[in-house]
Amino acid sequence: MSKTIIGDALPNIPWKARPEGCTDVVWRDPENPIIGRFPFPAANSVFNSAVVPFKDGFAGVFRVDLKTRKQELHVGFSKDGINWDISEKRIEFIKTKDEIDDFSVGYDPRVTKIGDRYYVAWCNMFAVGSNTCTIGLAYTDDFENFYQLENCFLPYNRNGTMFPEKINGNFAMLSRPFNDSEPGCIFYSESPDLNFWGNHRHVMSPSTYWDWLKIGAGPTPIKTTEGWLLFYHGVQKTCSDACYSFGAVILDLEKPWIVKHHCEPYLIAPTELYEQVGDVSMVCFPCATLQDAETGRISIYYGAADTVVAMAYTQVDELIKYIKDNDMIK
Amino acid sequence: MSKTIIGDALPNIPWKARPEGCTDVVWRDPENPIIGRFPFPAANSVFNSAVVPFKDGFAGVFRVDLKTRKQELHVGFSKDGINWDISEKRIEFIKTKDEIDDFSVGYDPRVTKIGDRYYVAWCNMFAVGSNTCTIGLAYTDDFENFYQLENCFLPYNRNGTMFPEKINGNFAMLSRPFNDSEPGCIFYSESPDLNFWGNHRHVMSPSTYWDWLKIGAGPTPIKTTEGWLLFYHGVQKTCSDACYSFGAVILDLEKPWIVKHHCEPYLIAPTELYEQVGDVSMVCFPCATLQDAETGRISIYYGAADTVVAMAYTQVDELIKYIKDNDMIK
Amino acid sequence: MSKTIIGDALPNIPWKARPEGCTDVVWRDPENPIIGRFPFPAANSVFNSAVVPFKDGFAGVFRVDLKTRKQELHVGFSKDGINWDISEKRIEFIKTKDEIDDFSVGYDPRVTKIGDRYYVAWCNMFAVGSNTCTIGLAYTDDFENFYQLENCFLPYNRNGTMFPEKINGNFAMLSRPFNDSEPGCIFYSESPDLNFWGNHRHVMSPSTYWDWLKIGAGPTPIKTTEGWLLFYHGVQKTCSDACYSFGAVILDLEKPWIVKHHCEPYLIAPTELYEQVGDVSMVCFPCATLQDAETGRISIYYGAADTVVAMAYTQVDELIKYIKDNDMIK
Amino acid sequence: MSKTIIGDALPNIPWKARPEGCTDVVWRDPENPIIGRFPFPAANSVFNSAVVPFKDGFAGVFRVDLKTRKQELHVGFSKDGINWDISEKRIEFIKTKDEIDDFSVGYDPRVTKIGDRYYVAWCNMFAVGSNTCTIGLAYTDDFENFYQLENCFLPYNRNGTMFPEKINGNFAMLSRPFNDSEPGCIFYSESPDLNFWGNHRHVMSPSTYWDWLKIGAGPTPIKTTEGWLLFYHGVQKTCSDACYSFGAVILDLEKPWIVKHHCEPYLIAPTELYEQVGDVSMVCFPCATLQDAETGRISIYYGAADTVVAMAYTQVDELIKYIKDNDMIK
Amino acid sequence: MSKTIIGDALPNIPWKARPEGCTDVVWRDPENPIIGRFPFPAANSVFNSAVVPFKDGFAGVFRVDLKTRKQELHVGFSKDGINWDISEKRIEFIKTKDEIDDFSVGYDPRVTKIGDRYYVAWCNMFAVGSNTCTIGLAYTDDFENFYQLENCFLPYNRNGTMFPEKINGNFAMLSRPFNDSEPGCIFYSESPDLNFWGNHRHVMSPSTYWDWLKIGAGPTPIKTTEGWLLFYHGVQKTCSDACYSFGAVILDLEKPWIVKHHCEPYLIAPTELYEQVGDVSMVCFPCATLQDAETGRISIYYGAADTVVAMAYTQVDELIKYIKDNDMIK
Amino acid sequence: MSKTIIGDALPNIPWKARPEGCTDVVWRDPENPIIGRFPFPAANSVFNSAVVPFKDGFAGVFRVDLKTRKQELHVGFSKDGINWDISEKRIEFIKTKDEIDDFSVGYDPRVTKIGDRYYVAWCNMFAVGSNTCTIGLAYTDDFENFYQLENCFLPYNRNGTMFPEKINGNFAMLSRPFNDSEPGCIFYSESPDLNFWGNHRHVMSPSTYWDWLKIGAGPTPIKTTEGWLLFYHGVQKTCSDACYSFGAVILDLEKPWIVKHHCEPYLIAPTELYEQVGDVSMVCFPCATLQDAETGRISIYYGAADTVVAMAYTQVDELIKYIKDNDMIK
């Protein structure tokens, strides 16, 4: 029995065994996509979304693009993690300070449980500027009322992902500040109070062939005996397009800005039609995992082609072995 | 006698009266540039630099580009604010924490006195990435030992300028986060301890013809009875080049992210040969002022053509009247 | 019985009822694409084409790209509007003046009946320059002889669509002048004689998420009791590609440069494989409609993926209600 | 005595003889620039402007950029064509139709006398869009009241220049439609009534080394026994910048879209400091000429470095000989 | 019996007859792709590869992209030319000189038999620079040991293809030097010794609609009584992507830099899903042919969508007739 | 007496002593520019030119841009190396093979004496393509007849500079292949016969602040006891423009692709008005030196602002000491 994952058992984790003949360390759900593109009539697509265990089932915050192509966040609930009931109404955040800008457009949420509270981080568009965004942050205790905090950083930033516990006494977040004319790197930041942030550290830059354009942290890091297991997406620019795949690294438990192991090959790249064709072609973009500390099973939710939600599965010990066998760090 | 400036008298302020026939509200020193391009043999240029009253004269932190074209910060001292003795050795910062990156390349310093301590903010290049920079911060009590603090923000950021006193109980800074494919705007941030920063507010975006590409805060804001007087540079892209001019706004004293008055015309644009021709053509870039609360005199130090240091002068009451007469805010 | 459409009955309009379970206001023909990519051996594709009722059936002008990828216009005839007989020979225009340039390359035709005559407008490439084009114009009475008039405008222009009757005593046309570095907008112009054009008016700019890059008028506007019903395509740029969808507005009957109602969501976006994959991925591009004033039925011909011809259907009263329910104009 | 120019004598034409030792066919005024950059305190610069004989002296429409860098048109008067009195107030156009957009921003005027009336054509910015412009047109009889007509063309267009008499019974204009991703060419258009325009003809494309990026018609064409003498600017892109020079062609008198002679070398390129350095470096941009049919003298007004007004001189017979000696058309 | 191809009989050539109803001169294998994307677990894709007759079957050099997306060359063998056994180990080249850089990354191989020796030419990435490549060259006698020679040319070059015999006493190669800001053209070069290269000649530039962005030689030219039959790929840039098709030309036998016949339409363009969708959408890229001089049969191996290997077939006499019937050269 | 330079004495070398107060290791001629921009009436400029000792004085090949801005090569002669007589007729090359393209446009010549023969290498534009160039090569014995050889390389290449003697038994050349989207590097190549070239080696990439965009070899390398002394230009991109400076390296005598010493600071950067302002601003571009082995004096000819010819001077031992004192190679 694996005890590599440091955390709770999750006996009801959605799960499919590795298909026969498959030798990959991470494998897809054969019934992908698990959530189709039209969750309700006004919606154009649902993808890049985050789920957590909640009560006797699961809750989630979903990126829904409307048929206006406006990007919103919607709540959803599920008994089994596969079949989801997604609200037709977007989340209306309750501001914790007057000076916080009203939510306008937001996308690519991550949800992290710290203590008994759920934190949602997302890419938050400013009212000023046409493409000015940074990391928005809110919390909820019940997935009904969401309380919006100050933005974590100055623009321009995307892909904010919180750690599930305090590091060195502070809240901690990975994010990907960006400048369209530079490769995008992952940084680490800390906050004593979720209002002021600092102790910024560079974590990793694009470093291999499938991720050379930019990278971004994916789901909440998973605490293991080997370090923080982080899935991240990487973008390769081809003769024709950008291609979003995802891979994994293991970060130091106490100084999570130090990469201990870095898996050279990707884990999942767009090779299935629902990943290759859609509103944005060639995208596999993970935003959440579920994991069962008892069995070491990990279920990965990822957006496919910016259109639908798909799932993949792995087992933590096999995965960590694979990462070490293919380690870029000597 | 003017009492518009809230601050100290500075009887030894460097000063030239407005030339006869000149009708401009800000005028140049006829002996510009006051510091030529080769302050010492290994130097290529000196510009975009910051000065403050110090002891019975003045001290400053100067941007010096070497003949390798590497960008460094050097200390200088002056009796009269015009004739400067600039050190041939760059500032070697003493790190206040091990995790802070060693200083590598930095430029465009601002110096702000808060209480009895001098704070230097500059554009600090990261060791990783070819053009990854953010706001570096250090303090000194004597212009001999400089103690480097954590970087204030994540990249990508330039033009960090501190307020000379706490706002709402926090240190406060203006900065210009940037993304090369978007117009650059000025934001406001606060910190309780100069380690963690938050309460980020949008202050102003490019809004007229001479500044439409990007803007950035210039010298430390000057406290006046009308609000914070802020000189800022704006960049216009012409058929041929970028053109850096500077103008002024008045910010609310208590909520400095609110622009109360916004002068529509520029104050100084590159019209003299030493501003038009040099390592970067068409640049007037202010980084520091001196002011005398007794007379309302303001002396502005600005970099010209990224090559030399020039000076301009104005009187606070005349300037505020001009700003209000040409106000873009109704 | 609907009398919303001001025009003729068209009992033989091609028509498919809304599929069961479908809640969309515009729905696709389940047998799409109705015209496949190889209408004859030398052809590479057929799409973005225009049809009108003609005699006891229908006639059309089709964009055919040859296997040289050269773009031509070809005549076609059909009894039922679905099964088309497309000529292997391109249209050879008869010039009405010597000074008119010989037709070289042209594409994206619209056909409009005004009185008893049929007018063809298309994107007409100049012999000079590599991508210099404007709106070409010709008329025919019989779909055998086509008489080419002067180009309507100076370059650079695309997507010229005539109104089916004179406005304020003049012929009227919508078009989309373009500059590759600016968003593309729809303008309105008038002509007393189809030789000289003026009274140019701005009609609409890109204004929402699915059309922010550029827009262009689609089929001949449909006269209704509510105003001119105009389908238009809009282009969104994603992380990977351009995506062409289409929506609808209602223009003022007498001053058609005034938008009375503007539907915020798109009506049809590329979500079917034949729209997503082809010579140009992610394209739904309407160039013609047929409508029956008796029933209010509207059949929309649109090019899919710059490769094939597809059809969609709607009913005018339902559509106008939908437009008003989702109106961007308050 | 030359009778090459078909037109009026102008005995008071401003004139300087060719400097000794100079072998150039066009030569500069040694007192250039004749109008400096600050015609009045609110002005930043004056350049690219148009003058005509008026009463016993001269009148002109001047491009003035304010210190806000907003571009306006101002009237000026002069006794000698060299010393100008330029109004501090911009021209307020009287609209001849309600639907015409209010003048917002405009620049690079040309003035053409046809019969007894003066027509002003300029680059007219639309209120919509950030850089959407076309040719604005107005007339005046007295240089006091200016009556604005409909815009001549759809966007995107610059450098509209009228012919001084009707061609084939129509008003005629040269203009330069543009698309930032294509070389800019000169086209010819006609109008029976200055409201509707058509008969568009391609005149010339960039064709040599100094003009390969784009070209645009300059002053009103001069009628000569050899054809229409047209000065035009051409733009060359170097390793560093755009460079605006000007040259000359001779157009067919009756079919002015036919170039009869095309001078291969430039006539004036930026080689003087006031042409090389200014708000836009490396610009010589002619917008007007004066000519004396008696002597064949031609005085050329050109903007220098987008900052000041300069003058050059030539003699028509010498110039035409030079054009023929260096003819690109065989 | 055809004797158009000058060369050996190849009775075991892989072959499928033209499908019924198909009128194309080149037709696809209905079982395409013949090699799927995962030849072994560490591989991401296999495509753009070269095969030759070898012993009683066939050998080949394959482009394999690993799951790191690193590009490598692997050997493969086949009895029938359709079913391939591809080595999981990349080719380790034996350097013939110390100064030759170690093989790092390489792709798009061509294999040419000259005399009894097999030469492999490929796009060879330099260790310095991020995208610096030129033509690498090696030989083998047994497809086990490969001996690497000096690079043929300076960077930047791709698509090197050798002629199967000496021309004018020298080895001869086609290649495509490139500069990303210019159209890519095919050049011809000669070498007396495969060490030093010269006599560079321009062969052809992009010249029609389907190849206007860039072109590159494909498989080893086939010697025929009419000249060298060369398949080449051409790239068209659409509103969305690059599209790689292939066509054919016939080169002069003795001066192969002279194009005798140039087929205007493409032969194969991406119209099947496996060509349209994959790691790089819209790619048909031929690198090898087999041909049987007895029957005139030609089998073409081409990479599809930078993901898999596909095959097409033609007959030489039919093809040459088609080329001449559609000749761009008069 | 210096014997550091391995070569001939040149007692009549043009020479100016270092100005008083100057501490730079390379200093300018105070009478710069030594050749003004109009060497004859049809010329626009003269710069980036090459000179050698010839008979009892000096001969040179000059880049002359005509007033058409076409780039040509012209011969010049001088008694003192300062005052030059430049031919108004361009060099008409005599082709040594029919297949060599006729000279059309060429620039930036270098001249190297090897044995008793003078070799001219230049940037040679192809007749096909708009910006396709490579290294052209010719020889002369008398500066009257120039015999054109095959181009040395495939495009795209510039800045070819020959070594003054054979290396390892072959002729040797430095050049700078280029791709506009990559940094430009210097490579080394060899030829046994000046017809075929190979043994290509990477020499150096941009590596410091003043040269990070691209670099190119300048004058013929000077043989010294320490290695080949090579002046090279480097290009820095600033906020506004490209800036061309020059520096120096010392290459290994026997393996000249190995850089032994690399001077970190530039030697001459554009700081004088004639270097900062001209047809291309901010350019110092050396193409030739003269040197006197007796005294170690070196005279450097460099183009300034792509407009005029300037000179600088240094002494070999001082320069080598400076290079070593500022060596980037440890």
Side-chain angles (χ1 to χ4, degrees), chain D residues 193-214:
Chain D
D193 53 11
L194 295 179
N195 188 351
F196 298 102
W197 292 82
N199 295 348
H200 308 295
R201 308 274 173 258
H202 174 264
V203 178
M204 56 189 283
S205 298
S207 49
T208 183
Y209 298 90
W210 64 266
D211 75 356
W212 62 262
L213 186 66
K214 52 185 175 179

Side-chain angles (χ1 to χ4, degrees), chain A residues 181-248:
Chain A
S181 63
E182 307 238 6
C185 304
I186 298 176
F187 280 75
Y188 168 91
S189 306
E190 294 183 350
S191 173
D193 54 10
L194 297 178
N195 189 349
F196 298 101
W197 291 82
N199 294 348
H200 307 296
R201 307 275 171 260
H202 174 264
V203 178
M204 56 189 283
S205 297
S207 48
T208 184
Y209 297 91
W210 64 267
D211 76 355
W212 63 261
L213 186 66
K214 52 184 172 177
I215 56 175
T220 301
I222 299 170
K223 194 172 190 179
T224 76
T225 52
E226 299 287 327
W228 293 105
L229 171 61
L230 175 70
F231 296 100
Y232 74 101
H233 68 266
V235 187
Q236 180 186 24
K237 186 101 183 127
T238 71
C239 294
S240 125
D241 269 328
C243 174
Y244 288 71
S245 307
F246 67 87

Side-chain angles (χ1 to χ4, degrees), chain E residues 97 99 126 131 150 152 154-157 175 177-182 190 195-201, chain F residues 97 99 126 131 150 152 154-157 175 177-182 187 190 195-201:
Chain E
K97 275 191 202 170
E99 289 83 359
F126 276 71
N131 195 18
E150 291 274 0
C152 302
L154 286 168
Y156 297 85
N157 208 320
S175 71
F178 70 94
N179 173 359
D180 292 337
S181 62
E182 306 240 3
E190 295 183 351
N195 188 350
F196 299 101
W197 292 83
N199 294 349
H200 308 295
R201 307 274 172 259
Chain F
K97 278 190 199 171
E99 290 84 356
F126 277 71
N131 196 17
E150 291 275 1
C152 302
L154 287 167
Y156 298 84
N157 208 320
S175 71
F178 69 94
N179 173 359
D180 292 337
S181 62
E182 306 240 4
F187 281 74
E190 293 183 352
N195 189 349
F196 299 101
W197 292 82
N199 295 349
H200 308 296
R201 307 275 171 258

Side-chain angles (χ1 to χ4, degrees), chain C residues 97 99-101 126 128-132 150-157 170 175 177-185 187-193 195-202 205 255 257, chain D residues 97 99-101 126 128-132 150-157 170 175 177-185 187-193 195-202 205 255 257:
Chain C
K97 278 191 199 172
E99 289 84 358
I100 296 173
D101 282 344
F126 276 71
V128 299
S130 64
N131 196 18
T132 304
E150 291 274 1
N151 285 331
C152 303
F153 310 116
L154 286 168
Y156 298 83
N157 208 321
N170 288 319
S175 71
F178 69 96
N179 173 359
D180 292 337
S181 63
E182 306 239 6
C185 305
F187 281 75
Y188 168 91
S189 306
E190 294 183 351
S191 173
D193 53 11
N195 188 349
F196 299 101
W197 293 82
N199 295 349
H200 307 296
R201 308 275 173 259
H202 175 264
S205 298
K255 298 187 175 180
W257 55 90
Chain D
K97 277 191 200 172
E99 289 84 359
I100 296 173
D101 283 343
F126 276 72
V128 299
S130 63
N131 196 18
T132 304
E150 292 274 1
N151 286 330
C152 303
F153 310 115
L154 286 168
Y156 298 84
N157 208 321
N170 289 318
S175 71
F178 69 95
N179 173 0
D180 292 336
S181 62
E182 306 240 4
C185 305
F187 280 76
Y188 168 90
S189 306
E190 293 183 351
S191 173
D193 53 11
N195 188 351
F196 298 102
W197 292 82
N199 295 348
H200 308 295
R201 308 274 173 258
H202 174 264
S205 298
K255 298 187 176 181
W257 55 89

Side-chain angles (χ1 to χ4, degrees), chain C:
Chain C
M1 192 182 79
S2 168
K3 285 296 186 192
T4 307
I5 294 174
I6 302 168
D8 297 332
L10 186 67
N12 62 339
I13 187 172
W15 183 253
K16 297 277 170 58
R18 180 189 282 111
E20 221 165 313
C22 173
T23 60
D24 296 326
V25 73
V26 178
W27 59 93
R28 289 169 177 84
D29 194 312
E31 291 171 44
N32 272 349
I34 63 154
I35 309 180
R37 70 176 301 162
F38 301 118
F40 49 85
N44 170 74
S45 50
V46 54
F47 57 101
N48 301 0
S49 300
V51 309
V52 286
F54 181 68
K55 296 185 177 167
D56 61 344
F58 304 91
V61 176
F62 291 80
R63 171 176 175 173
V64 173
D65 287 9
L66 300 185
K67 279 178 175 148
T68 60
R69 297 297 291 263
K70 193 175 181 181
Q71 301 145 348
E72 297 187 346
L73 304 180
H74 289 238
V75 165
F77 298 97
S78 172
K79 285 292 172 210
D80 59 6
I82 298 290
N83 297 287
W84 286 87
D85 181 22
I86 297 173
S87 170
E88 297 201 21
K89 297 219 168 147
R90 74 176 202 176
I91 296 173
E92 296 296 343
F93 290 99
I94 301 154
K95 298 195 295 182
T96 56
K97 278 191 199 172
D98 285 351
E99 289 84 358
I100 296 173
D101 282 344
D102 287 328
F103 178 92
S104 162
V105 170
Y107 55 88
D108 294 354
R110 274 77 164 182
V111 178
T112 302
K113 188 180 185 190
I114 310 176
D116 291 333
R117 183 159 276 182
Y118 302 90
Y119 294 89
V120 189
W122 70 91
C123 179
N124 195 29
M125 297 297 290
F126 276 71
V128 299
S130 64
N131 196 18
T132 304
C133 57
T134 189
I135 307 303
L137 190 64
Y139 67 85
T140 184
D141 296 328
D142 53 12
F143 283 87
E144 287 181 12
N145 296 308
F146 290 80
Y147 298 90
Q148 188 173 356
L149 303 167
E150 291 274 1
N151 285 331
C152 303
F153 310 116
L154 286 168
Y156 298 83
N157 208 321
R158 291 202 186 100
N159 297 308
T161 300
M162 292 195 72
F163 281 81
E165 61 184 47
K166 290 192 178 182
I167 309 280
N168 309 320
N170 288 319
F171 292 96
M173 183 182 275
L174 300 171
S175 71
R176 203 272 312 280
F178 69 96
N179 173 359
D180 292 337
S181 63
E182 306 239 6
C185 305
I186 298 175
F187 281 75
Y188 168 91
S189 306
E190 294 183 351
S191 173
D193 53 11
L194 296 179
N195 188 349
F196 299 101
W197 293 82
N199 295 349
H200 307 296
R201 308 275 173 259
H202 175 264
V203 179
M204 56 189 283
S205 298
S207 48
T208 182
Y209 298 91
W210 65 267
D211 76 356
W212 62 261
L213 187 66
K214 51 184 174 179
I215 56 176
T220 300
I222 299 169
K223 194 173 190 179
T224 76
T225 52
E226 299 287 328
W228 293 103
L229 171 61
L230 175 69
F231 296 101
Y232 74 102
H233 68 265
V235 187
Q236 180 187 24
K237 186 102 180 126
T238 70
C239 293
S240 125
D241 269 329
C243 174
Y244 287 72
S245 306
F246 67 88
V249 290
I250 295 176
L251 307 177
D252 187 81
L253 277 183
E254 296 185 6
K255 298 187 175 180
W257 55 90
I258 296 173
V259 181
K260 288 175 61 185
H261 303 289
H262 189 157
C263 184
E264 190 171 4
Y266 63 73
L267 297 174
I268 292 279
T271 60
E272 301 298 312
L273 195 57
Y274 59 88
E275 298 161 339
Q276 293 171 315
V277 176
D279 280 356
V280 180
S281 62
M282 305 300 287
V283 182
C284 296
F285 192 98
C287 286
T289 62
L290 297 171
Q291 51 274 348
D292 175 23
E294 284 295 313
T295 59
R297 289 175 172 178
I298 302 175
S299 303
I300 306 166
Y301 291 80
Y302 67 99
D306 271 23
T307 305
V308 295
V309 176
M311 283 193 82
Y313 305 97
T314 189
Q315 201 279 342
V316 71
D317 301 293
E318 288 182 43
L319 177 60
I320 288 174
K321 178 178 186 309
Y322 184 82
I323 292 170
K324 289 183 177 173
D325 287 349
N326 291 279
D327 201 347
M328 291 176 72
I329 296 173
K330 285 113 231 277

